[in-house]
Amino acid sequence: MDLDLTAPTASLASAVADVTRLLPTRVIEPVLTGIVLRGDADGVTLSGTDRERGIRLWAPALCHVDGEVLVPAKPLAETLRTVDTPEIRLVVEGSRLAVRTPQARFALPLLDLDTHPGVPAPPARLGVVAGGALRAALAPVAAAASRDDALPVFTGVRIASEGDRLVLMASDRFRLATARLPWRPVDTTPIDVLLPANTLAEILRRIPDGAEVGLHADEDRAALTWERSGLITALLATPFPSTDRLLSVTPDTTAWVEADVLAGAVRRALPYTGPHGLISLEVGDAELRVRGVDSQTGESEEMVKAVVDGGRPTRRFQARNLADGLKAFAGEQVRLAVPDIDRRGTVLTGEARHDEVELTYLVAPSRGGGH
């Protein structure tokens, strides 16, 4: 096994850290805790897998000797994270991969590359989407997914095609985020998959705005590929529940408000929302009144200017759920559509975002002490 390359420290450290975060932490198969480095004339490719997911990331490098090695991922990531030189050299020295700076040398053991399963090739490509649009859509949608593995269906992001539009959707049962964006299918095969939200969120920042992202899928796996990088993951098997009824309610009241201003009022009310974190949102003639009441800490009340049409209802929400929904519309006006039935959620929408991304965010009301 040979390898000798010089790379910018920051970009290499970032790529190694991102691969390492997706690797297993329990040492059931020690070989899976390793990261594969492959250097050639194009730079260096870093890859790893936990058998459910596989990731391959490219980083710039000047390769002096082409080669491929497998080394423990975590110590490599920690070493690169703490090195403060602008460039770093990785070179095989006997049974070690030396990490060299002008002042220091670190040596990692070479693992048996032949025992590593490698990252499989992605399934067939079904279409492409602009990287910037995908990032703008996926970030707020993935954030709405549940972190509770007891209900796997709510830990995923559904990605489905509707003609020349791609629809992303996620929910934790108390909020629901959807985004629609343009995509270009390569044939008539539709895409409809449920992918782990945390995995998608981990690789979001790796996708450049100007990249063209390929979407791949078959019955068992899906993949995102861009430039010389990619992520492949097993699908979540449970079908995502239908949400058409939740989003098709005709509102009794609508209010247009600056998202950042309302979000600030909600944040300031948080200390007064009690053990269950509840706030009241009261619709007035030309304002929204944000109220928090707690027997221990006191109460808050703040008025936010709004353009109101319809009734004057009052709704209670989990403050953090509402704040998260407003965060998705940062820097723009948001429309709150409040149904006349207080058991149904309030729908937040804005104008078309980056590259025609249309975002909808539903926040469920809270009627009792908690959710």
Side-chain angles (χ1 to χ4, degrees), residues 1 53 85 93 96 102 143 150 155 159 164 168 181 193 255 275 298 345 362:
M1 289 183 287
R53 303 169 299 179
T85 55
E93 297 177 352
R96 298 284 189 269
T155 65
I159 301 179
D164 62 355
L168 280 57
L181 65 156
V193 293
L362 181 144

Side-chain angles (χ1 to χ4, degrees), residues 129-185:
V129 63
L134 183 62
R135 290 180 61 180
L138 190 52
V141 172
S146 175
R147 305 296 187 268
D148 184 1
D149 291 333
L151 294 170
V153 65
F154 294 110
T155 65
V157 173
R158 183 190 181 193
I159 301 179
S161 58
E162 294 180 355
D164 62 355
R165 306 292 287 180
L166 202 64
V167 182
L168 280 57
M169 184 177 298
S171 174
D172 63 359
R173 295 178 296 155
F174 309 110
R175 52 189 173 170
L176 168 69
T178 66
R180 297 174 182 270
L181 65 156
W183 89 311
R184 190 172 73 251

